[in-house]
Amino acid sequence: MTTQNLLVELFVEELPPKALQKLGDAFATVLGDQLKALGLASAASVVTPFASPRRLSAHVTAVADKAADKAVQQKLMPVTVGLQADGNATPALLKKLQALGADVSNPAAAVAALKRAQDGKAEALFYDSVVPGATLQAGLQKALDEAIAKLPIPKVMSYQLETDCELPGWTSVNFVRPAHGLVALHGSTVVPVKALGLTAGNSTTGHRFEAAVSPVVLADADSYAATLQKDGAVIASFAERKAEIARQLAAAAAKVGNGARPIEDEALLDEVTALVERPNVVICQFEEQFLGVPQECLILTMKANQKYFPLLDAAGKLTNKFLVVSNISPEDTSFVTGGNERVVRPRLADAKFFFDQDRKKTLASRVEGLGKVVYHNKLGTQGERVERVRAIAKAMASQLGDAQLVQDADLAAQLAKTDLVTDMVGEFPELQGIMGGYYALNDGLGETVANAIEDHYKPRFAGDALPRNTAGVVVALADKLETLVGMFGIGNLPTGDRDPFALRRHALGVIRMLVEKDLPLDLSALLAGAVPAFGDKITDATPALADFIYDRLAGSLREQGYSAQEVDAVLALRPQRLALVEKQLAAVRAFAALPESPALAAANKRVGNILKKAEVEGPVDAHVNPNLLQEKAEQDLYAALQRFVPEANAQFDAGDYTASLQTLAVLRAPVDAFFDDVMVNAEQLDLRLNRQGLLKTLHEAMNRVADLSRLAA
């Protein structure tokens, strides 16, 4: 058995650019995993993916020409079933052996070759055999078929191939794009596998226009990338091509000077990498008059429509120069430059036209138009939605600020959605909110309202900035609460991966604003306060919505490094001020580190169970009559509560949760003594109720910061 490196390439028509990297990685990974599973490659074999616009390839090191034979032991049947009383094989055993390919011409010899071993309570017969290892051709064929079948193809297309036989005809093939070539090299030897109507060879096709030779003949598996780059003018590696584009972009920006830098956009860089085989960055420009249009509009049209990289100056402002990643490298680039400048000009002119036309009408004049835009068939129009957001925003603003804040928030909420009926947002929906801010400034509404309008969609994604001013926070919160309460109220909940109204993102946005802005707002009151704005359009689903928000909060906190036990202990109390949750978690973590913590957590769990059983007969009153405390242990616990609980409560009320829990840690000894010496459920009713009241007092005092029973092992 010899090992050599293996190269497999599938040459196709241009692949979907946004899926290319995922397709390339999946093709190489599945191929490598299958070869390892078949024993043709080892765990130490290195799998390298290649992906260009017209090829998916994989290079695998140390692939054997034949897998090692494998010894296999197979259980046949119990001895009592397989052997007769005289030790001869039963027909059932002979039939089983024959099915496995064993020689049964001599039954006695066949039985003698079997092994007997205990299998549970019975003795069983086992058959040892050697399974021949897969040959490279057979194993690679299986691996290649599996790799193609498991490709995460966004959309399959069908095409016909002429049947390769004596009878004329056509056969249908289903794949992401029509395939035109297959390479399979084990060292320098072609492995004649087949796929998609193709038989593997040792040649491929290079760049459409700039390949030095065609076809490109590959000497061996290891020379693939170098030969393809030299003779085919193609950088096969997605990662290397991406790095080369980034290098050229930086060099071109430096050539422009004045601190110019290409806009940072990882998704755009990945997409362009998937569009070119031999990148060549050129510098282009457009007329400066277009810079009067908001730069977000120009940047978006250049990125989304043309896949260009706009250049920003040192201050982050858009310049009139941009970078194009060309797929050809002519000596004279003027045609490339001129062509791209000519193409982008109408795009920018459209943006300027939309901007100029939109400014002829005020945002206020567009409010009526929102009444003609359907938001949801059960929740009415965008106009009705705006009125709900206004009502929720005004209620919050009156809690958080003065009359000016109420006025600013109300105006911003009224106008926040009006840019949806502008020409610019109609053409570029991604600019909603942003254009509203520009048009508000144009209408003379001031920065406070303009920023609130622009920011009311924030945070749009994880890590996004929060609204810049309080009015913006109020409107953003109101907008997200309206969506959450409304969608839950009509039963339109996320299921699995489906979340068409981004309710998970909205919930996380609400959490972030309440926490990071340290807002003195109670969650339950916020949710309940939003319900009346809907009238009879919804049912009140705020309990389920609160659970949904706490679930999102729990996941977020665990991602920040808090343990599930810590998070569970704090959120079990359903804290209303989310801004205080992290302080509560810090207190729980500090308490858990104390030597008294395990005993108190266990005692707290025990107290909770006792009270739960007691409350079956009726609520337990946290009231203690000192005259009914007969045992010394209960007297000592009562005295300790009288002494330390007021101090702990004062620390809790002052926001020092860590000190509050640490003060209560001294209760360990009297609590332990109480459970050792006192019978809680005494037969005498007044004693039993008094002791339950003592435990209720203890339970309430211990669980103000968190449910400490959740810390019990």
Side-chain angles (χ1 to χ4, degrees):
M1 182 178 70
T2 59
T3 63
Q4 295 188 76
N5 296 341
L6 176 74
L7 183 283
V8 178
E9 181 202 77
L10 188 60
F11 180 76
V12 298
E13 293 182 15
E14 278 75 3
L15 292 159
K18 291 184 179 179
L20 178 63
Q21 187 174 18
K22 188 183 292 186
L23 289 170
D25 290 344
F27 180 76
T29 299
V30 175
L31 190 76
D33 288 347
Q34 288 295 312
L35 291 173
K36 291 174 183 178
L38 292 167
L40 290 165
S42 70
S45 295
V46 178
V47 181
T48 304
F50 296 94
S52 82
R54 297 196 294 158
R55 69 198 78 239
L56 301 174
S57 318
H59 181 273
V60 187
T61 62
V63 175
D65 55 3
K66 182 179 182 301
D69 296 343
K70 186 184 295 185
V72 177
Q73 186 175 78
Q74 187 173 348
K75 177 186 171 183
L76 299 178
M77 58 190 66
V79 170
T80 54
V81 176
L83 298 179
Q84 299 172 354
D86 58 5
N88 290 327
T90 63
L93 176 59
L94 292 175
K95 186 176 181 180
K96 181 72 171 178
L97 288 171
Q98 193 170 16
L100 292 173
D103 183 6
V104 293
S105 58
N106 185 343
V111 169
L114 300 179
K115 289 185 178 179
R116 299 170 62 153
Q118 202 68 24
D119 181 51
K121 294 182 179 180
E123 194 177 23
L125 296 171
F126 293 85
Y127 174 65
D128 288 340
S129 62
V130 176
V131 177
T135 63
L136 177 58
Q137 182 175 347
L140 180 57
Q141 185 66 65
K142 182 178 179 181
L144 181 58
D145 292 342
E146 193 77 6
I148 291 173
K150 289 187 175 180
L151 277 177
I153 298 173
K155 191 173 183 180
V156 174
M157 66 178 294
S158 296
Y159 60 97
Q160 276 68 46
L161 290 177
E162 194 169 0
T163 304
D164 186 17
C165 62
E166 294 181 359
L167 296 174
W170 298 84
T171 181
S172 291
V173 177
N174 296 317
F175 195 53
V176 59
R177 292 290 185 269
H180 297 295
L182 180 64
V183 174
L185 287 173
H186 187 233
S188 58
T189 303
V190 173
V191 185
V193 291
K194 298 177 181 290
L196 305 175
L198 304 167
T199 301
N202 67 342
S203 64
T204 185
T205 303
H207 193 285
R208 282 190 184 276
F209 312 113
E210 300 192 350
V213 296
S214 185
V216 177
V217 178
L218 305 171
D220 53 50
D222 292 342
S223 64
Y224 173 71
T227 303
L228 198 53
Q229 186 165 1
K230 175 176 171 289
D231 294 342
V234 172
I235 302 175
S237 167
F238 188 95
E240 289 180 18
R241 211 163 55 253
K242 181 177 177 179
E244 174 61 16
I245 293 172
R247 184 194 68 76
Q248 289 191 35
L249 289 172
K255 187 176 179 181
V256 171
N258 298 322
R261 56 183 174 84
I263 195 163
E264 293 181 10
D265 189 322
E266 196 69 15
L268 176 62
L269 182 56
D270 283 339
E271 188 173 0
V272 171
T273 303
L275 287 168
V276 299
E277 294 181 314
R278 185 187 190 186
N280 178 38
V281 173
V282 295
I283 303 169
C284 302
Q285 64 181 12
F286 56 83
E287 290 81 357
E288 291 191 359
Q289 62 171 332
F290 291 120
L291 292 176
V293 180
Q295 69 177 40
E296 292 89 347
C297 307
L298 305 182
I299 289 171
L300 181 61
T301 191
M302 283 192 282
K303 284 170 39 178
N305 298 126
Q306 304 304 133
K307 314 306 175 190
Y308 296 158
F309 288 84
L311 280 177
L312 308 178
D313 63 19
K317 296 294 184 182
L318 182 68
T319 71
N320 70 321
K321 290 185 171 57
F322 59 95
L323 303 179
V324 175
V325 183
S326 172
N327 195 36
I328 56 175
S329 304
E331 292 184 9
D332 180 5
T333 61
S334 61
F335 287 104
V336 176
T337 302
N340 283 283
E341 291 176 348
R342 192 164 53 252
V343 165
V344 80
R345 195 172 293 115
R347 292 283 185 183
L348 303 184
D350 285 347
K352 185 176 186 304
F353 174 78
F354 294 145
F355 185 57
D356 291 340
Q357 289 297 110
D358 286 342
R359 287 183 296 169
K360 293 178 180 179
K361 291 179 64 177
T362 64
L363 291 180
S365 69
R366 297 179 184 274
V367 172
E368 186 179 349
L370 293 174
K372 302 174 184 177
V373 180
V374 175
Y375 168 56
H376 191 282
N377 63 342
K378 293 183 179 179
L379 296 175
T381 65
Q382 285 287 2
E384 293 174 281
R385 184 185 182 204
V386 162
E387 291 306 310
R388 294 193 292 265
V389 174
R390 288 181 69 185
I392 299 168
K394 286 169 70 175
M396 274 193 292
S398 62
Q399 288 182 261
L400 295 174
D402 55 16
Q404 186 61 52
L405 176 62
V406 174
Q407 181 180 330
D408 290 341
D410 182 44
L411 182 57
Q414 182 186 28
L415 303 178
K417 304 297 181 184
T418 51
D419 66 356
L420 295 177
V421 291
T422 62
D423 292 339
M424 185 70 84
V425 174
E427 180 72 14
F428 302 111
E430 301 91 336
L431 295 176
Q432 56 189 280
I434 294 171
M435 295 314 302
Y438 278 108
Y439 296 147
L441 289 175
N442 183 71
D443 293 349
L445 299 179
E447 283 194 4
T448 299
V449 172
N451 289 343
I453 291 173
E454 179 180 345
D455 292 349
H456 86 279
Y457 288 107
K458 294 180 179 178
R460 297 171 185 252
F461 50 85
D464 191 18
L466 297 184
R468 286 164 283 184
N469 58 42
T470 307
V473 171
V474 168
V475 179
L477 263 176
D479 184 58
K480 289 170 176 55
L481 287 170
E482 191 278 338
T483 301
L484 289 164
V485 172
M487 290 302 163
F488 268 75
I490 60 173
N492 199 347
L493 279 58
T495 55
D497 292 335
R498 285 185 53 78
D499 188 8
F501 288 91
L503 301 188
R504 296 185 181 97
R505 177 167 57 80
H506 284 319
L508 287 171
V510 169
I511 291 167
R512 280 193 59 197
M513 283 186 279
L514 291 175
V515 171
E516 295 177 33
K517 295 295 184 179
D518 194 14
L519 299 180
L521 299 171
D522 288 354
L523 182 61
S524 293
L526 272 180
L527 301 182
V531 174
F534 289 86
D536 60 358
K537 289 184 180 292
I538 66 169
T539 56
D540 186 352
T542 52
L545 176 54
D547 290 341
F548 180 76
I549 292 174
Y550 282 118
D551 284 345
R552 306 282 80 68
L553 177 58
S556 174
L557 292 170
R558 287 193 294 269
E559 288 177 2
Q560 294 174 44
Y562 295 102
S563 71
Q565 202 174 36
E566 292 167 343
V567 172
D568 190 31
V570 171
L571 297 191
L573 299 186
R574 286 296 193 262
Q576 294 302 301
R577 285 284 305 280
L578 301 191
L580 301 178
V581 166
E582 290 197 34
K583 287 178 66 177
Q584 291 170 271
L585 285 166
V588 167
R589 180 168 287 181
F591 174 77
L594 298 174
E596 298 89 351
S597 169
L600 281 173
N604 199 52
K605 188 173 183 178
R606 185 175 179 183
V607 169
N609 290 335
I610 292 171
L611 293 175
K612 191 180 295 182
K613 290 180 181 177
E615 286 171 347
V616 172
E617 301 176 0
V620 176
D621 184 15
H623 175 75
V624 180
N625 183 349
N627 297 324
L628 292 176
L629 300 173
Q630 295 183 350
E631 304 290 341
K632 183 178 184 303
E634 60 182 332
Q635 293 169 358
D636 290 345
L637 177 57
Y638 179 71
L641 290 174
Q642 292 296 104
R643 178 180 175 187
F644 294 108
V645 169
E647 181 184 351
N649 285 343
Q651 292 164 331
F652 179 90
D653 293 337
D656 193 348
Y657 302 140
T658 301
S660 179
L661 284 180
Q662 290 177 338
T663 296
L664 294 173
V666 300
L667 295 175
R668 175 188 173 176
V671 168
D672 286 348
F674 178 87
F675 281 118
D676 287 342
D677 301 341
V678 178
M679 173 66 71
V680 177
N681 293 321
E683 291 187 12
Q684 192 173 333
L685 180 61
D686 57 350
L687 289 182
R688 182 167 72 250
L689 293 178
N690 201 55
R691 288 169 181 172
Q692 290 174 354
L694 180 63
L695 291 182
K696 182 77 169 182
T697 304
L698 170 66
H699 196 257
E700 289 180 354
M702 291 292 296
N703 292 289
R704 293 193 73 187
V705 176
D707 181 355
L708 299 183
S709 68
R710 306 297 178 105
L711 301 179

